[in-house]
Amino acid sequence: MLRLPPFEYRRPRTLDEAIRMRADAGPEGEFVAGGTDLYPNMKRRQQTPAVVIDLADLPDLRGVAAAPGGGLRLGAGLRLSEVESQKDLLAGYPAITGGAASISTPILRNMGTLGGNLLLDTRCNYYDQGYEWRRAIDFCMKKDGETCWVAPGSARCWAVQSSDLAPVVVALGAEVELRGREGARTIPAEALYLDDGMRFHSKRPDEVLVSISLPAPGGWRATYRKVRRRGSFDFPVLGTAVWARLAGRNGGAPLAEEPVVEEVRIVLGAVGSRPIRARAAEDALRGKALTEEAIRAAADLASRPAKPLDNTDFTIGWRKEIVRPEVARALREVAGRP
Ligand SMILES: Cc1cc2nc3c(=O)[nH]c(=O)nc-3n(C[C@H](O)[C@H](O)[C@H](O)COP(=O)(O)OP(=O)(O)OC[C@H]3O[C@@H](n4cnc5c(N)ncnc54)[C@H](O)[C@@H]3O)c2cc1C
Ligand code: SF4
């Protein structure tokens, strides 16, 4: 049985207290929310904080509230099962509720939070192993070693961003609120992510992810599709999030046969160290009728920035190949076509 290493556990009652405790702990500190990612990582000694600061009691991280402009503000501390079950409040955001429902298992979703999901550690077959396994290969650059076994000679780590909801919030154009010792800032969700498996987000260590603001629903559609080995539970090997505003669509009004794309975002998860925007595909679709031909051409373009490496499940070739049909399916879904 894997055991947790010794650590100091702190449970702040206010956001300010949490920020202060984290700043005081310095590089030895880490926040925890549901602990479904951090604690297994600690058991495998992938992360070894000496001080763990639990965010569970912070009221600022709770709840769903109206946001300016008609959108919704989701507290980062919402459990995934709460997100999944907010069918009425989140009726305009099926990509969020569906994405949350696709994560891990019901038991883990009762613990795991929205914020923890967006800040999930990046994954790699050479890293997501027990301590002895990793020691046998002399560790790797991401923790305790010097070499990247996926790309020896590489100066960076290629571990994979495997959060299901990260591509969804980027596709929706959501904003995230961060609060730390230097104050509060709100940034586009896209700016939260960096293309580096070791430094994969732009949050400062003492900053708490407080909330996620979603745009007002209506006038657009979004979907999330997940490819994984086991349907029961598994991390994505490809996540495809598509958001589109289509001409002739207003709220629930029916779509024209081939609606024109006014604006679109196509975001790929689990095929890079950050959620990847397929910008060439978006550019190709903007202003065009969403015909089957346009969908196929865009799906082809969208597969190009996907750069899977040999560090997760399935073969690289298949993971690259599957992008095209998945993007095409997602575009058909937002067009309301089977
Ligand atoms: C068997 C198994 C299967 C899983 N399957 C999936 C899957 O299919 N898809 C998927 O996306 N994930 C999956 N997960 C990962 C995990 O359960 C979820 O991503 C979950 O949402 C993580 O949330 P948490 O609150 O438990 O995170 P924690 O473990 O508490 O935290 C994760 C990281 O985020 C930081 N953090 C958390 N909240 C905040 C905050 N508010 N402010 C600042 N930092 C914060 C922590 O410091 C830590 O670094 C799986 C995990 C397991 C064990
Ligand atoms: S990509 Fe390389 S450095 Fe990063 S976790 Fe995998 S083996 Fe380690």
Side-chain angles (χ1 to χ4, degrees):
M1 196 217 288
L2 294 175
R3 290 186 188 281
L4 280 169
F7 62 94
E8 209 174 294
Y9 175 79
R10 302 212 176 135
R11 194 145 178 155
R13 300 282 162 183
T14 66
L15 188 50
D16 284 345
E17 202 185 349
I19 293 164
R20 197 171 55 249
M21 283 178 178
R22 181 66 186 85
D24 289 349
E28 296 294 301
E30 192 56 283
F31 289 127
V32 70
T36 63
D37 185 46
L38 182 70
Y39 289 141
N41 286 1
M42 286 173 67
K43 287 181 178 179
R44 293 186 294 252
R45 308 311 192 254
Q46 290 159 267
Q47 285 169 275
T48 48
V51 182
V52 172
I53 299 141
D54 196 332
L55 303 172
D57 290 340
L58 307 188
D60 304 66
L61 271 61
R62 307 291 311 159
V64 180
L72 278 186
R73 173 196 181 276
L74 308 183
L78 279 172
R79 307 277 173 196
L80 294 169
S81 53
E82 291 175 312
V83 174
E84 185 190 347
S85 64
Q86 297 277 5
K87 292 256 157 50
D88 291 339
L89 267 174
L90 286 168
Y93 308 92
I96 293 277
T97 49
S102 78
I103 294 169
S104 55
T105 67
I107 294 168
L108 286 163
R109 292 199 294 276
N110 282 339
M111 286 304 295
T113 63
L114 174 58
N117 185 251
L118 297 181
L119 295 169
L120 178 71
D121 195 6
T122 49
R123 296 179 57 79
C124 171
N125 287 344
Y126 294 90
Y127 170 71
D128 294 302
Q129 304 287 349
Y131 182 82
E132 300 302 335
W133 193 103
R134 290 187 294 114
R135 189 171 66 169
I137 61 162
D138 202 17
F139 303 103
C140 81
M141 196 197 293
K142 185 159 158 78
K143 175 70 178 149
D144 298 328
E146 281 166 21
T147 306
C148 171
W149 298 111
V150 174
S154 167
R156 59 159 283 192
C157 163
W158 299 88
V160 179
Q161 169 56 251
S162 304
S163 154
D164 277 299
L165 289 175
V168 179
V169 294
V170 173
L172 290 182
E175 291 186 329
V176 297
E177 180 195 358
L178 300 162
R179 227 178 295 170
R181 207 142 73 155
E182 287 173 28
R185 59 188 179 122
T186 298
I187 58 171
E190 190 172 357
L192 183 62
Y193 297 103
L194 304 176
D195 189 18
D196 185 315
M198 287 163 70
R199 190 163 176 261
F200 54 91
H201 61 67
S202 60
K203 185 186 84 61
R204 291 193 275 269
D206 62 285
E207 282 180 324
V208 175
L209 172 56
V210 178
S211 67
I212 297 91
S213 293
L214 306 177
W220 52 263
R221 278 183 169 196
T223 191
Y224 177 66
R225 296 183 57 85
K226 173 172 180 171
V227 177
R228 53 181 159 177
R229 185 176 284 273
R230 298 168 292 188
S232 54
F233 80 103
D234 244 329
F235 284 91
V237 289
L238 171 66
T240 307
V242 170
W243 171 98
R245 201 173 58 236
L246 305 171
R249 180 166 184 85
N250 189 1
L255 276 172
E257 186 86 353
E258 287 170 350
V260 171
V261 178
E262 288 180 346
E263 194 50 77
V264 63
R265 285 187 287 269
I266 301 171
V267 186
L268 307 174
V271 283
S273 295
R274 74 192 304 180
I276 295 174
R277 281 280 294 273
R279 290 185 191 277
E282 295 172 5
D283 292 345
L285 283 172
R286 209 168 287 117
K288 300 258 174 60
L290 201 52
T291 60
E292 191 53 32
E293 194 186 359
I295 287 175
R296 289 221 183 100
D300 196 30
L301 286 171
S303 73
R304 296 185 192 175
K307 298 268 184 291
L309 292 172
D310 198 10
N311 58 351
T312 63
D313 203 359
F314 296 109
T315 62
I316 309 175
W318 188 82
R319 282 169 53 218
K320 173 95 176 159
E321 193 52 42
I322 197 71
V323 176
R324 198 174 307 143
E326 280 296 289
V327 170
R329 287 176 193 129
L331 285 168
R332 284 185 206 112
E333 279 178 19
V334 294
R337 287 209 293 274

